[in-house]
Amino acid sequence: MQEIPKNHPRYQSLILRKKISEAHKAGVLAESGMIAHGRGEAFDYLLGEKTIPPAKRAIEVAAAQILLAQNPVISVNGNTAALSAREVIELSNKSGAKVEINLFYRTPERVDKIRRMLHNSGARKVLGTNDEDHLHLKGMEGPRSFVSAEGIYSADVVLVPLEDGDRAQALIANNKVVITIDLNPLSRTARSSSITIVDNLVRALPLLIQEVEKLKGEEQYKLEEMVRNFNNQVNLNDSLKAILGSYHADVKP
Ligand code: PTJ
């Protein structure tokens, strides 16, 4: 593929596209994953391609929630692996959250490729692989309903970046706290999750890692207070206001 010149005004965006299209060629990304990425790009443009204040707030609360959890799990799909495999593993190492592959378009080949990618990024243990016996998550159909017994099935908190609405709703119905990272504040996932970070995965994950490190020594009651004081619907409305407001004044044409 052609080299992207560093001085290109949309360098960062083109680098992400390159990662996405290479991951598709490598069989990691579902075909629909490219469409999902394009939709994300449009929303990111409206956000000014930066982390808006409501997202920063949601990231702080998400970090507190992950640190409070008994069995936190990061659910990984093709897009997440393609864009942020290293950060997923870093977050897992720093927070103690488990890593589980859970795919909409599940095939043994894709699972294996994503597993290898996660191991190459430093993962010690990956759940949801082809070798594991899976349990059925109530209220879900298809391959996404197969979850790991020690992972999503028994998790109290699940981080599901870049997800489809059905799964977020099914996880909530199974009494999980759902944290999502979704550029679209109007999506079903964004609306039904417990904590929605309206930001690009590639910006949100490094900030989430930083926040986990910062809050690690914090007293439990303070973390609980942060979670209690957070209202996802209010934060989503603030995200919409940010889109409509002046936050995107400096977007590059
Ligand atoms: O890998 P699989 O088989 O599990 O398939 C995964 C896809 C992405 C195809 C599946 O989950 C899907 O169809 O997703 P949706 O319903 O298209 O939703 C994707 C959401 O993520 C949309 O709301 C996008 O705006 C948003 N999005 C896309 N790219 C990013 C993003 N959010 C944060 N960061 C991104 N980089």
Side-chain angles (χ1 to χ4, degrees):
M1 190 180 275
Q2 208 187 321
E3 200 57 36
I4 301 163
K6 285 216 164 58
N7 61 353
H8 193 289
R10 301 209 47 78
Y11 179 75
Q12 289 304 336
S13 171
L14 293 176
I15 287 290
L16 295 188
R17 278 192 180 184
K18 189 167 179 242
K19 280 190 179 179
I20 286 288
S21 84
E22 283 174 354
H24 180 248
K25 278 192 209 132
V28 164
L29 197 90
E31 200 157 13
S32 299
M34 292 201 280
I35 298 168
H37 184 79
R39 185 155 27 158
E41 275 187 350
F43 280 100
D44 206 8
Y45 202 83
L46 294 174
L47 287 174
E49 295 172 330
K50 65 182 188 190
T51 305
I52 55 173
K56 287 188 185 143
R57 217 169 305 135
I59 287 169
E60 286 164 12
V61 178
Q65 184 66 86
I66 291 169
L67 290 171
L68 284 168
Q70 299 295 316
N71 187 18
V73 175
I74 308 168
S75 176
V76 177
N77 66 5
N79 291 58
T80 303
L83 294 177
S84 300
R86 282 196 176 281
E87 289 75 13
V88 164
I89 303 311
E90 194 181 342
L91 178 62
S92 158
N93 290 340
K94 298 224 159 111
S95 67
K98 294 171 184 167
V99 174
E100 177 166 344
I101 300 171
N102 191 264
L103 303 180
F104 191 101
Y105 301 103
R106 189 181 177 103
T107 62
E109 293 75 24
R110 277 190 74 215
V111 171
D112 219 43
K113 284 178 176 165
I114 294 172
R115 181 188 61 74
R116 252 182 280 145
M117 207 169 178
L118 293 169
H119 281 305
N120 289 341
S121 301
R124 286 187 288 270
K125 187 169 179 183
V126 177
L127 301 172
T129 63
N130 297 323
D131 319 323
E132 218 178 315
D133 289 332
H134 292 114
L135 294 177
H136 174 78
L137 187 73
K138 256 195 307 178
M140 281 249 77
E141 298 300 327
R144 285 169 305 164
S145 69
F146 301 124
V147 291
S148 160
E150 60 170 303
I152 291 175
Y153 191 81
S154 54
D156 51 351
V157 174
V158 189
L159 170 63
V160 279
L162 216 162
E163 220 19 274
D164 62 286
D166 288 351
R167 179 156 26 182
Q169 284 175 334
L171 289 168
I172 292 279
N174 279 274
N175 297 319
K176 321 268 180 212
V177 173
V178 177
I179 303 169
T180 193
I181 304 172
D182 189 339
L183 280 159
N184 178 3
L186 297 168
S187 75
R188 243 176 343 127
T189 302
R191 298 262 142 204
S192 47
S193 294
S194 323
I195 302 169
T196 303
I197 301 165
V198 180
D199 198 11
N200 198 316
L201 182 67
V202 301
R203 290 191 300 269
L205 278 181
L207 294 174
L208 187 54
I209 293 164
Q210 254 179 43
E211 206 55 43
V212 161
E213 284 194 297
K214 197 173 117 196
L215 291 177
K216 231 177 200 169
E218 200 55 272
E219 304 225 39
Q220 185 172 333
Y221 82 92
K222 287 208 175 136
L223 300 178
E224 284 168 354
E225 201 172 32
M226 286 172 73
V227 172
R228 213 176 22 251
N229 290 339
F230 181 77
N231 181 319
N232 203 43
Q233 297 313 315
V234 171
N235 201 255
L236 281 173
N237 289 343
D238 288 346
S239 304
L240 276 174
K241 282 186 206 148
I243 289 178
L244 297 171
S246 58
Y247 291 113
H248 59 277
D250 61 352
V251 73
K252 294 184 201 80

